[in-house]
Amino acid sequence: MKKVFITGGSRGIGRGVASVFAENGYDVAFTYHSAEDEARSLCAEIESHGVRAFMFQAVMEERGVAEKVTAEAIEALGGIDALVCNAGRTVHNHILDTDEDTCDYVYNLNYRSYLMCAKVAARRMVADGTAGSIVFVTSTRSIRAYPEDCLYGGLKAALNRSAESMAIDLARYRIRVNCIAPGNTAIRGNFTPEELSRSAFQKRIPLGRSGTPREVGMLALYLCSDAAAYITGDIIKIDGGLILPGMPER
């Protein structure tokens, strides 16, 4: 039985990732910040597929938490084959109004926690001789510049760059590192065709709709599978063509 640890798994993209991995036979451990009811419902959903579920409350931006909760999750799972770092928060800031507290918060949550989780997971993979996979969920904002995005988009770009170096460092251990860069993704609702293509903005996306958390989950599953055994250090967009014509997100 393969094992995956997902940060920020109780809702949105993280929940879609967790559901897809569970459906495909993975034991799943995940973190949540405050949505305990949603975390419990996800555990029940995961277990309905005949696999194990473990939930961990974690404030990922606090020092030491990422390392501690990753170690706890791996211990509960009994090892790790895949890590998907997804926990984060979108912040819009104008450089003229940016303050140190906001910089520290976004850096600690959206960047540092990813590297610390990856360090702990990779060390266990190396110790166990596991040909594992690490996936960072970044953003198309890491690829294309937008106004009021020097902090969030800049740190997502830094994750892409860090993953490339990590891929080189870990290749000798058969551990692959890749990034998924979602564009506009519907993280609330039932994701019916009508909901995904209702707004004027959604209709302007080349494929005519928003993406879904499940679609991001399917891409993450592929990148962690043997089918992607020759892919490492890559950043894969999943945005329906959103940024191809230079369309702004907002």
Side-chain angles (χ1 to χ4, degrees):
M1 187 77 70
K2 288 197 171 185
K3 306 165 182 66
V4 63
F5 175 47
I6 302 161
T7 67
S10 62
R11 56 174 60 168
I13 286 175
R15 190 180 186 108
V17 173
S19 297
V20 168
F21 274 77
E23 290 170 13
N24 285 271
Y26 278 75
D27 288 340
V28 179
F30 65 92
T31 68
Y32 70 98
H33 181 269
S34 58
E36 183 175 351
D37 289 344
E38 291 175 278
R40 293 192 181 281
S41 72
L42 177 58
C43 278
E45 179 185 336
I46 291 168
E47 290 169 346
S48 73
H49 296 291
V51 296
R52 298 181 300 157
F54 303 93
M55 53 185 269
F56 296 88
Q57 193 281 329
V59 183
M60 298 297 287
E61 64 270 22
E62 292 187 355
R63 292 187 66 85
V65 170
E67 299 96 309
K68 182 174 183 291
V69 74
T70 304
E72 290 174 346
I74 293 172
E75 183 65 25
L77 288 165
I80 186 167
D81 297 281
L83 168 70
V84 180
C85 289
N86 167 73
R89 181 178 176 185
T90 303
V91 174
H92 299 284
N93 69 298
H94 195 290
I95 187 58
L96 296 180
D97 303 316
T98 300
D99 58 81
E100 286 187 352
D101 288 343
T102 302
C103 281
D104 289 346
Y105 170 75
V106 179
Y107 167 78
N108 290 333
L109 176 60
N110 288 15
Y111 183 79
R112 181 176 58 80
S113 75
Y114 283 49
L115 267 60
M116 295 301 98
C117 288
K119 177 189 72 174
V120 175
R123 282 181 171 177
R124 180 59 182 265
M125 292 173 184
V126 171
D128 291 348
T130 300
S133 182
I134 295 170
V135 174
F136 289 165
V137 178
T138 64
S139 170
T140 51
R141 289 179 173 270
S142 69
I143 300 168
R144 181 172 176 79
Y146 294 92
E148 300 184 357
D149 197 37
C150 61
L151 186 53
Y152 176 83
L155 287 170
K156 289 294 189 179
L159 279 176
N160 289 346
R161 176 60 183 78
S162 294
E164 291 174 335
S165 285
M166 289 167 55
I168 297 171
D169 291 341
L170 297 174
R172 72 187 67 181
Y173 304 107
R174 298 179 302 135
I175 298 170
R176 297 180 296 104
V177 186
N178 292 289
C179 294
I180 293 173
N184 184 266
T185 306
I187 58 173
R188 298 286 186 272
N190 296 318
F191 314 126
T192 63
E194 292 75 23
E195 287 180 321
L196 294 174
S197 58
R198 177 180 298 159
S199 73
F201 170 76
Q202 289 169 318
K203 294 180 188 301
R204 289 174 59 203
I205 296 171
L207 288 185
R209 65 172 178 85
S210 297
T212 69
R214 182 176 180 80
E215 288 173 318
V216 178
M218 292 298 291
L219 178 54
L221 179 70
Y222 167 71
L223 287 174
C224 294
S225 73
D226 291 341
Y230 205 55
I231 300 175
T232 195
D234 209 346
I235 297 96
I236 301 177
K237 296 188 283 92
I238 178 166
D239 70 343
L242 172 68
I243 67 172
L244 292 176
M247 186 190 313
E249 279 266 14
R250 293 192 296 162

